[in-house]
């Protein structure tokens, strides 16, 4: 074929010049096509010899300088003039074709071209019409008319303009949208329009189930209705949230189930025949955790095409729904599971955990690093390992139960269970030998990080039992593998065989964590730590966790680099008006050579008249002797003058317990109900607080965000202490050390900005509607006595202020609340 049919004159000249400059040797180039399929732009990426050239830039289609605009075609020349592709040419062309990228071979004069693989023609992007879309949220607009309490918000319209730019410009975007801006509609309208007009799929990821459900059940249907077009959306949760019919049937057939277990499994089976989704959230009762784990969907246990229940599989049905959906709503954990698999080799073109996509909206984006840390961490404990061993084999009196009992029944006669039972008992004994010294290392702090400075103590206390445990786990895994190898071919698809293989893989994973602990000094990119926890019955046990220290490079490579558009939104992304801290931790700050947009959109709420920010100048500092006594007395008196309706936030459960015990008799005498985190699960505790307008909720970490209590339910928020992370937090400590090694300032670059962002979250619990009114009291003297207190104050909206002695604050708070 003549080259002029495939290349512009400019590209022909550029290629000829490059080949001449290389002395007639091979060169490699990346090309971009125009709307007519002609190569209009090329970039020379490598030069070789007469017979070969490095295919440099082949990864550009996934992780190049401009991932929003990957190459359309790979081009190289054959100096011999023979354009027949070599085996290596075909291999490269095959890899390129998987991503829709073509491959051309030309002669040295660039007069002839051999098309090894045709490029997939790029669809022309349809730009969003900002003016038309924004009208829907202006007064009288299609969305505005459907909102019962619509208020015009310029910040919302400005945020929407930024999101539209992100889609139109293939940009990465971070937007801080204060409470009340209406961020979900500001990104949903552009997202739904873009998905329909361009035929693309958009993933929306959130940190909480509450927001997922609000988007899927309320906001997306409303926007779709306003557009007068049906936009298919699907809500996806992690597999563990869905019932697996095959595993349920297996559990029901297990011999010697006790009465309570069998009754609950039958309830699940009855529900399984009527539920449409199979989602645990649709259950009218709460199943036992250990029972649900035996019947829920699990990727490692999925039999795929071999499953007898494949035609009725909830996961498969959901994936079919997602395959032609334009909007997919997920949580951060599921998003990271998909991104990690794609980066590990699954690729970006096909379905993995999610169907393929190139544009993502991340709501509650301030949690990205924490969510990624959780996802990429690995852990084991005595309880968890006992659970895996119990799945393999357990005895109750003369009854033998477990997967190995079923596996043995498939083998020729012979008793093989005694050896397995002996191996399991050795692991149980090794766990007991390890758990005691591990808990002792945790001490009163309840946590212990493995570090070089404690190497002598660590290696004496836990290395011998850890080595012993690892050896015994590997021995059991090998024994079970030997049994599985004896299984006849006709039984290879038996569910018990699949489940047993999954347990063996989990045993191998635990042995790997043991190895990582033993090699902790050779793993500077990871932190190994032990935490003392309590079972439901109050029994202490040790958990061993392996976590990554830094995630920004991985987040850049897996999230931001491959995606055409990523929009990150949250009410708290800045510190002192700058995105630098969050961008650095999330990986966005590492991105180069592509558009990155930022925007701050202040809350429209009247903080200046509706909120009193108070902090007593006579409050002791947290490290002073009488600080806890001050907290115990002050929170009770503040809650009393507010008549309840208070959320009291702590940074440690010990401080919470002390303040709660001191306040309980005084507040209950006034008819004020006291609720305490830990006395019930989070959702029920929050519901009790919302239902009782005069109640007071004492809470720690997780309640600093995600509490939405509008109106008179919440009129007083007390922040007992500035939320600096505990220096004993092992992951945080490792990150501080890594930052210091790079020449940074751990306090100014990590501790302070993280505390400021959490402080903003706590402050944000008060104002949830424009009509809300109340007091935020900060009982930590550092806010007004330390220079860095200004960072906290400058990150808040402008409010009424009372920085006086505590008695004066009591009077001013009472006047403010009842004026």
């Amino acid at each position: 074929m003549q080259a002029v049919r495939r290349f512009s004159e400019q590209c022909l000249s550029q290629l000829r010049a490059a080949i001449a400059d290389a002395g007639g040797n091979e060169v490699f180039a990346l090309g971009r096509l125009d709307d007519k399929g002609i190569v209009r732009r090329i970039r020379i990426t490598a030069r070789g010899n007469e017979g070969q050239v490095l295919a440099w830039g082949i990864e550009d289609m996934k992780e190049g300088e401009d991932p929003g605009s990957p190459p359309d075609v790979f081009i190289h020349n054959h100096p011999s003039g023979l354009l027949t592709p070599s085996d290596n040419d075909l291999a490269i062309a095959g890899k390129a074709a998987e991503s829709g990228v073509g491959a051309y071979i030309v002669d040295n004069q660039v007069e002839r071209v051999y098309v090894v693989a045709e490029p997939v023609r790029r669809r022309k992007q349809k730009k969003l019409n900002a003016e038309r879309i924004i009208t829907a949220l202006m007064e009288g607009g299609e969305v505005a008319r459907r909102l019962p309490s619509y208020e015009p918000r310029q910040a919302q319209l400005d945020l929407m303009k930024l999101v539209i730019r992100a889609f139109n410009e293939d940009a990465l975007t971070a937007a801080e949208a204060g409470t009340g801006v209406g961020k979900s509609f500001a990104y949903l309208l552009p997202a739904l329009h873009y998905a329909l007009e361009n035929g693309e799929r958009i993933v929306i990821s959130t940190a909480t189930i509450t927001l997922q459900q609000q988007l899927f059940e309320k906001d997306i249907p409303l926007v779709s209705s306003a557009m007068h077009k049906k936009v298919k959306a699907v809500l996806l949760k992690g597999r563990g949230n869905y019932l697996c019919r095959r595993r349920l049937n297996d559990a029901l057939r297990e011999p010697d189930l006790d009465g309570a277990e069998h009754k609950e499994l039958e309830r699940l089976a009855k529900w399984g025949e009527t539920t449409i989704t199979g989602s645990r959230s649709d259950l009218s009762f709460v199943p036992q955790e250990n029972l649900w784990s035996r019947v829920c969907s699990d990727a490692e246990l999925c039999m795929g095409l071999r499953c007898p229940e494949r035609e009725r599989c909830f996961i498969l049905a959901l994936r079919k729904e997602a395959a032609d959906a334009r909007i997919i709503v997920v949580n951060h954990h599921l998003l990271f599971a998909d991104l990690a698999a794609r980066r590990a080799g699954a690729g970006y073109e096909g379905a993995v955990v999610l169907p393929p996509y190139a544009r993502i909206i991340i709501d509650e984006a301030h949690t990205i690093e924490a969510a990624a840390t959780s996802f990429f961490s690995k852990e084991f404990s005595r309880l968890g390992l006992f659970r895996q061993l119990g799945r393999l084999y357990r005895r109750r009196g003369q009854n033998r139960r477990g997967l190995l009992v079923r596996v043995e029944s498939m083998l020729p006669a012979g008793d093989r269970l005694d050896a397995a039972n002996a191996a399991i008992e050795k692991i149980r004994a090794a766990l007991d030998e390890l758990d005691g010294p591990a808990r002792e290392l945790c001490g009163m702090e309840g946590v212990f990080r493995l570090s070089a400075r404690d190497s002598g103590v660590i290696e004496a206390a836990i290395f011998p039992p850890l080595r012993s445990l690892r050896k015994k786990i590997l021995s059991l895994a090998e024994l079970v593998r030997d049994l599985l190898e004896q299984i006849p071919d006709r039984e290879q698809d038996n569910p018990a065989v699949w489940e047993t293989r999954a347990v063996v893989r989990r045993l191998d994973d635990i042995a790997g964590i043991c190895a990582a602990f033993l090699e902790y000094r050779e793993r500077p990119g990871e932190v190994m730590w032990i935490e003392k926890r309590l079972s439901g019955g109050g029994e202490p046990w040790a958990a061993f966790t392996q976590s990554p220290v830094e995630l920004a490079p991985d987040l850049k490579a897996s999230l931001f680099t491959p995606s055409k558009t990523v929009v990150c939104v949250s009410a708290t992304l800045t510190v002192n008006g700058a995105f630098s801290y969050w961008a650095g931790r999330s990986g966005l700050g590492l991105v180069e050579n592509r558009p990155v947009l930022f925007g701050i959109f202040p809350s429209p709420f009247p903080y200046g008249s509706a909120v009193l920010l108070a902090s007593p100048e006579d409050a002791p500092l947290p490290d002073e002797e009488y600080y806890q006594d001050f907290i115990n007395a002050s929170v009770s008196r503040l809650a009393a003058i507010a008549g309840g309706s208070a959320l009291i936030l702590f940074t440690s459960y010990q401080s919470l317990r002390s303040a709660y015990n001191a306040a309980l008799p005084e507040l209950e005498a006034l008819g004020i109900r006291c609720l305490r985190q830990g006395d019930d699960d989070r959702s029920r505790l929050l519901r009790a607080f919302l239902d009782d307008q005069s109640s007071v909720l004492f809470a720690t970490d997780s309640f600093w965000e995600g509490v939405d209590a509008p109106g008179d339910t919440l009129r007083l928020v007390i922040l007992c202490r500035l939320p600096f992370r505990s220096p004993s937090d092992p992951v945080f400590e490792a990150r501080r050390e890594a930052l210091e090694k790079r020449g940074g300032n751990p306090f100014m670059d990590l501790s302070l900005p993280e505390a400021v962002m959490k402080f903003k979250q706590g402050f944000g619990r008060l104002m949830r509607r424009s009509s809300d009114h109340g007091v935020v009291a900060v009982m930590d003297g550092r806010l007004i006595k330390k220079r860095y207190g200004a960072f906290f104050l400058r990150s808040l909206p402008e409010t009424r202020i009372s920085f006086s002695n505590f008695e004066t604050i009591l009077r001013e708070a009472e006047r403010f609340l009842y004026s």
Side-chain angles (χ1 to χ4, degrees):
M1 181 187 298
Q2 291 183 327
V4 292
R5 295 173 60 186
R6 293 283 178 152
F7 294 87
S8 69
E9 283 297 332
Q10 179 181 352
C11 287
L12 288 172
S13 299
Q14 189 177 347
L15 266 175
R16 288 167 184 152
I19 293 169
D21 287 345
N25 290 311
E26 288 197 29
V27 300
F28 192 85
L30 308 177
R32 292 292 309 278
L33 306 182
D34 63 14
D35 296 341
K36 297 178 180 178
I38 302 298
V39 179
R40 291 288 178 188
R41 281 194 292 140
I42 63 169
R43 179 161 63 93
I44 308 300
T45 61
R47 296 163 184 83
N49 56 33
E50 188 177 351
Q52 58 186 357
V53 65
L54 182 66
W56 186 258
I58 192 169
E59 293 300 323
D60 275 27
M61 61 187 139
K62 295 177 182 176
E63 299 188 31
E65 292 180 356
D66 187 4
S69 302
D72 294 313
V73 63
F74 295 153
I75 306 157
H76 79 287
N77 61 307
H78 278 187
S80 66
L82 299 175
L83 305 189
T84 303
S86 65
D87 290 345
N88 194 41
D89 292 336
L90 291 173
I92 292 171
K95 182 173 182 180
E98 291 176 4
S99 298
V101 178
Y104 296 171
I105 301 174
V106 299
D107 60 3
N108 273 19
Q109 292 72 43
V110 201
E111 293 176 350
R112 293 177 299 125
V113 60
Y114 185 95
V115 178
V116 184
E118 289 283 3
V120 175
R121 295 283 287 275
R122 189 184 302 274
R123 289 185 59 172
K124 188 173 182 180
Q125 182 190 39
K126 293 182 180 178
K127 304 281 189 181
L128 295 177
N129 184 320
E131 185 176 342
R132 178 169 62 87
I133 295 173
I134 287 172
T135 302
L137 264 176
M138 297 177 72
E139 197 158 3
E142 290 290 343
V143 172
R145 287 191 287 107
R146 287 169 167 78
L147 295 173
S149 55
Y150 170 78
E151 297 175 6
R153 303 169 184 174
Q154 186 58 46
Q156 185 181 50
L157 303 181
D158 292 340
L159 172 58
M160 196 187 309
K161 291 175 185 175
L162 186 72
V163 175
I164 290 170
R165 281 189 62 196
F167 280 108
N168 285 346
E169 300 174 21
D170 289 343
L172 306 175
T173 302
E176 181 175 88
T179 307
V181 165
K183 62 184 185 326
S184 60
F185 288 118
Y187 62 67
L188 283 177
L189 267 162
L192 268 63
H193 274 284
Y194 195 92
L196 281 180
E197 293 174 24
N198 288 279
E200 289 196 34
R201 182 179 293 108
I202 296 169
V203 170
I204 301 175
S205 181
T206 78
T208 60
I209 292 175
T210 302
L211 182 53
Q212 275 184 281
Q213 292 175 331
Q214 177 189 315
L215 291 171
F216 180 70
E217 295 170 6
K218 297 179 181 178
D219 296 351
I220 292 174
L222 188 151
V223 172
S224 181
S225 170
M227 292 169 60
H228 303 289
K229 293 179 180 178
K230 186 168 179 58
V231 183
K232 184 172 183 180
V234 171
L235 170 63
L236 294 181
K237 306 172 188 175
R239 292 186 72 129
N241 288 283
Y242 298 96
L243 179 70
C244 173
R245 295 184 190 274
R246 193 268 303 165
R247 297 191 73 206
L248 174 61
N249 293 337
D250 286 349
L252 282 166
R253 287 195 294 266
E254 193 168 315
D256 304 314
L257 284 170
D258 65 40
E261 285 180 329
H262 195 270
K263 185 176 180 180
E264 190 159 326
L265 285 171
E266 285 188 328
R267 287 186 75 186
L268 285 169
K270 186 176 180 180
W271 167 75
E273 294 304 318
T274 59
T275 176
I276 296 173
T277 66
S279 174
R280 183 180 184 177
S281 62
D282 294 343
L283 278 166
S284 60
F285 62 96
V286 180
Q288 295 178 50
E289 192 63 41
N290 66 331
L291 204 65
W292 178 259
S293 69
R294 287 162 56 188
V295 301
C296 67
S297 180
D298 186 318
E300 288 193 339
L301 303 175
C302 180
M303 297 181 67
L305 295 173
R306 299 177 179 87
C307 181
E309 292 286 352
R310 183 174 183 273
E311 296 302 318
R312 301 201 304 154
C313 175
F314 293 115
I315 292 292
L316 195 59
L318 200 57
R319 285 187 168 178
K320 287 179 180 177
E321 287 292 302
D324 62 349
R326 286 288 164 254
I327 303 294
I328 297 180
V329 182
V330 301
N331 61 25
H332 294 344
H333 192 276
L334 198 62
L335 175 65
F336 287 131
D338 183 78
L339 292 173
R342 292 182 187 279
R343 190 180 177 215
Y348 293 85
E349 302 305 313
V352 186
V353 178
L354 305 176
Y357 54 92
R359 302 185 193 274
I360 308 170
I361 294 171
I362 301 179
D363 204 339
E364 302 172 312
H366 62 281
T367 62
I368 283 179
E369 185 183 29
T373 301
S374 173
F375 176 78
F376 289 106
S377 293
K378 304 171 187 176
E379 99 169 21
F380 83 90
S381 66
R382 184 176 66 173
L383 289 184
L385 186 45
F386 278 0
R387 192 176 299 119
Q388 297 298 323
L389 298 176
R391 287 178 64 194
L392 283 177
Y393 182 80
R394 58 195 184 278
R395 295 189 67 158
R396 185 172 293 176
Q398 295 301 311
N399 295 322
R400 302 191 300 180
R401 300 164 61 181
L403 292 167
L404 292 183
V405 176
R406 295 163 63 187
V407 167
E408 192 195 38
S409 70
M410 305 172 202
L411 299 172
D415 191 356
R416 302 166 182 82
L417 295 181
D418 287 344
N421 183 46
I424 287 171
E425 289 306 314
K426 288 179 181 178
I427 293 175
R428 290 179 181 275
L431 275 167
D432 288 337
E433 289 177 13
L434 173 64
D435 201 68
R439 284 188 282 111
E440 286 181 17
L441 284 177
C442 293
M444 295 298 292
E445 291 279 352
V447 66
F448 180 82
R449 173 192 167 206
L450 276 66
S451 62
R453 64 176 175 269
D454 297 315
S455 59
V457 175
I458 293 166
E459 293 173 18
I462 64 170
F463 269 30
L466 201 55
R467 287 194 188 96
S468 173
L469 176 63
R470 179 172 179 269
K471 182 178 179 180
K472 290 174 173 59
I473 289 173
L474 291 175
S475 177
L476 174 64
E478 189 62 32
L479 186 154
V480 176
R481 266 192 286 267
D482 288 343
L483 285 179
L484 293 174
E485 287 177 4
Q486 301 172 43
I487 298 291
D489 290 344
R490 67 179 181 276
E491 297 286 3
Q492 287 297 323
D493 289 340
N494 188 299
V497 174
W498 282 70
E499 298 244 354
T500 305
R501 288 195 184 110
V503 174
V504 171
R505 286 193 293 272
R506 180 55 184 150
L507 291 176
D508 287 336
D509 289 342
I510 293 172
I513 300 171
C514 292
F517 268 71
L518 293 168
E519 299 164 0
Y520 75 96
R521 299 184 74 170
E522 288 78 50
R523 293 173 176 253
E526 294 176 299
V527 54
M528 319 300 165
W529 49 287
I530 307 168
E531 183 179 13
K532 184 164 61 178
R533 300 176 185 171
L534 294 176
S535 67
E539 180 188 1
W541 47 280
F544 297 77
T545 306
Q546 171 186 359
S547 297
V549 175
E550 297 293 348
L551 283 161
D554 290 327
L555 287 170
K556 175 202 168 189
S558 59
L559 172 61
F560 295 111
T561 297
S563 305
K564 292 182 179 178
T565 298
V566 181
V567 176
C568 299
V569 293
S570 171
T572 52
L573 290 183
T574 68
V575 175
N576 210 13
F579 286 90
S580 54
Y581 168 73
W582 175 84
R585 302 304 307 175
S586 68
L588 181 59
L590 302 179
V591 174
E592 297 177 336
N593 301 317
R594 63 176 302 189
V596 180
L597 310 175
F598 295 97
I600 299 175
F601 306 92
S603 169
F605 290 168
Y607 286 93
S609 59
V611 175
L612 173 67
L613 175 64
S615 187
E617 60 187 10
D618 53 349
L621 299 179
D623 58 356
E624 292 180 345
E625 184 178 357
Y626 300 107
Y627 171 75
Q628 188 60 49
D629 293 336
F630 174 78
I631 293 295
N632 293 350
S634 60
V635 298
S636 174
R637 295 181 66 188
L638 279 167
I641 64 109
S645 306
L647 174 64
I648 307 175
L649 295 172
F650 299 81
T651 58
S652 79
Y653 194 78
Q654 183 179 359
S655 180
L656 179 156
R657 187 166 50 243
S658 176
Y660 174 86
N661 290 337
L664 182 64
E666 297 178 24
L667 295 180
E668 286 195 337
L670 298 172
I672 296 172
R673 183 184 180 189
C674 293
L675 303 167
R676 175 173 59 175
Q677 183 177 353
D679 287 347
D680 206 341
D681 74 44
R682 189 182 192 277
S683 59
R684 283 196 290 268
L685 197 63
L686 191 54
R687 175 48 51 195
F689 176 63
L690 296 174
D691 289 345
D692 188 344
Q693 200 167 289
S694 65
S695 63
V696 174
L697 175 57
F698 293 72
T700 58
D701 191 59
S702 65
F703 284 83
W704 282 73
E705 55 185 279
V707 175
D708 192 4
D712 288 341
T713 302
L714 182 57
R715 300 192 304 151
L716 171 65
V717 173
I718 302 176
L719 308 180
C720 293
R721 192 165 179 165
L722 296 179
F724 286 102
R725 189 90 69 95
S726 168
S728 64
D729 181 301
V731 177
F732 192 67
E733 182 184 32
R735 287 174 177 165
R736 284 174 55 92
E737 289 175 4
L739 187 61
E740 194 167 25
K741 286 179 182 176
R742 296 195 300 268
N745 183 319
F747 180 76
M748 296 301 294
D749 297 341
L750 184 62
S751 298
L752 180 60
E754 186 196 61
V756 170
M757 287 183 67
K758 188 158 188 174
F759 179 78
K760 290 169 68 176
Q761 283 287 335
F763 174 89
R765 295 314 94 211
L766 181 68
M767 285 283 288
R768 308 309 296 172
R769 304 289 185 273
S770 60
S771 58
D772 288 350
H773 172 265
V775 175
V776 177
V778 183
M779 311 309 291
D780 188 332
R782 293 175 296 181
L783 182 68
I784 54 179
K785 295 176 183 177
K786 297 290 186 179
R787 291 178 61 185
Y788 58 73
F791 281 85
F792 291 89
L793 295 172
R794 285 199 295 265
S795 291
L796 299 180
E798 189 172 326
T799 65
R800 296 268 297 276
I801 287 177
S802 176
F803 293 163
S804 309
N805 62 63
F806 181 68
E807 295 299 328
T808 301
I809 283 175
L810 275 178
R811 293 191 296 271
E812 291 187 358
E814 187 170 19
R815 278 198 302 271
F816 188 81
L817 288 171
Y818 297 102
S819 59

